[in-house]
Amino acid sequence: MLEQLKANDFRANLDLVRHGLVTLTRGNVSSINADRDRVVIKPSGIGYDRMTPELMVVVDLQGNVVEGELRPSCDTPAHLALYRRFNEVGGVTHTHSPWATVFAQARREIPCLGTTHADHFHGPVPVTRPLTQQEVETDYEANTGLAVVERLAEMSPLEMPAALVAGHAPFTWGKNAADAVVNAVALEAVAKMAITTLTLRGDAPQLEPYVLKKHYQRKHGPDAYYGQK
């Protein structure tokens, strides 16, 4: 099972590159197994052109390496915070994709201005509070993940599968690694659309709530009819 998880996670990491979401090595995807006691993630600082499924690193939920010769991504503690809190989450992605990162650096949520956004995210994409100096100096990556968990306290992680870390960059997640990557692609697209829309019209209204609900529910709701059964 872990070998299959490694293969799937390896492909998901390469998909980040294919979709243009990675600058240098700044990006990673992780996956958790069905027993929720092992996480696969890319090795730290390894170029995507050098990666193979065999180089993927396996850690437990405390971050201890249980399989692999390389160090896991330095963002691993942030991923683990999400897995420990949300049983619905099976894959996590972190990128520094430019348009979404612009919102993170501006410390602004991404408003839901249209139906493309509503198809993927049930409302504005939230931004976390800034980390304190103590949080940065003591356990930066873990506290980054905890800030995301804290921001999502009143939300469903599958209805809002993304968050912007203030001054940093976005995280997305989903039922598995491939799903997390899809949400990262969608996030970058709606961030670009939002910035362009606000440039054209600074007072652009947010999408009407009933349209937001319709678009989200027709794709993700209990009676969804988008796509094939």
Side-chain angles (χ1 to χ4, degrees):
M1 291 296 292
L2 280 179
E3 294 308 308
Q4 185 61 56
L5 199 63
K6 286 182 187 179
N8 293 345
D9 204 71
F10 166 72
R11 286 194 296 270
N13 273 279
L14 293 188
D15 282 342
L16 291 183
V17 179
R18 183 167 64 88
H19 289 293
L21 301 181
V22 170
T23 301
L24 301 176
T25 60
R26 293 188 183 92
N28 44 71
V29 187
S30 68
S31 311
I32 193 167
N33 65 345
D35 292 333
R36 301 194 69 82
D37 62 357
R38 294 291 183 269
V39 171
V40 174
I41 195 165
K42 78 177 283 287
S44 179
I46 297 296
Y48 288 85
D49 58 340
R50 294 174 51 202
M51 253 184 3
T52 65
E54 293 74 24
L55 290 181
M56 305 304 286
V57 184
V58 182
V59 300
D60 62 21
L61 284 185
Q62 287 69 50
N64 301 304
V65 174
V66 296
E67 190 174 323
E69 300 298 322
L70 300 173
R71 288 188 297 181
S73 166
C74 62
D75 296 308
T76 298
H79 290 239
L80 297 179
L82 289 163
Y83 290 127
R84 287 194 296 265
R85 176 61 182 86
F86 301 120
N87 288 330
E88 309 97 312
V89 171
V92 176
T93 295
H94 175 51
T95 74
H96 287 243
S97 59
W99 294 101
T101 299
V102 166
F103 274 97
Q105 292 181 165
R107 305 182 185 200
R108 286 187 58 181
E109 65 181 20
I110 303 175
C112 182
L113 301 176
T115 59
T116 307
H117 185 126
D119 282 338
H120 296 278
F121 308 104
H122 198 198
V125 176
V127 60
T128 69
R129 62 169 176 81
L131 296 183
T132 66
Q133 182 174 347
Q134 182 179 8
E135 286 174 323
V136 171
E137 292 176 351
T138 54
D139 203 347
Y140 175 53
E141 289 80 11
N143 286 324
T144 296
L146 291 175
V148 174
V149 169
E150 174 189 298
R151 184 64 183 84
L152 292 170
E154 304 300 324
M155 302 179 185
S156 161
L158 295 186
E159 288 188 0
M160 182 48 64
L164 309 172
V165 178
H168 187 175
F171 280 81
T172 63
W173 47 87
K175 295 177 181 178
N176 50 48
D179 196 29
V181 171
V182 166
N183 289 328
V185 173
L187 181 69
E188 182 68 354
V190 301
K192 183 177 182 180
M193 290 178 191
I195 290 174
T196 308
T197 300
L198 293 170
T199 300
L200 182 64
R201 181 181 173 184
D203 63 345
Q206 296 217 25
L207 187 66
E208 291 75 11
Y210 53 89
V211 182
L212 165 60
K213 179 179 179 181
K214 179 64 176 181
H215 267 261
Y216 186 83
Q217 291 295 329
R218 74 173 188 168
K219 190 170 183 179
H220 304 283
D223 299 316
Y225 58 88
Y226 176 90
Q228 305 300 317
K229 292 185 179 179

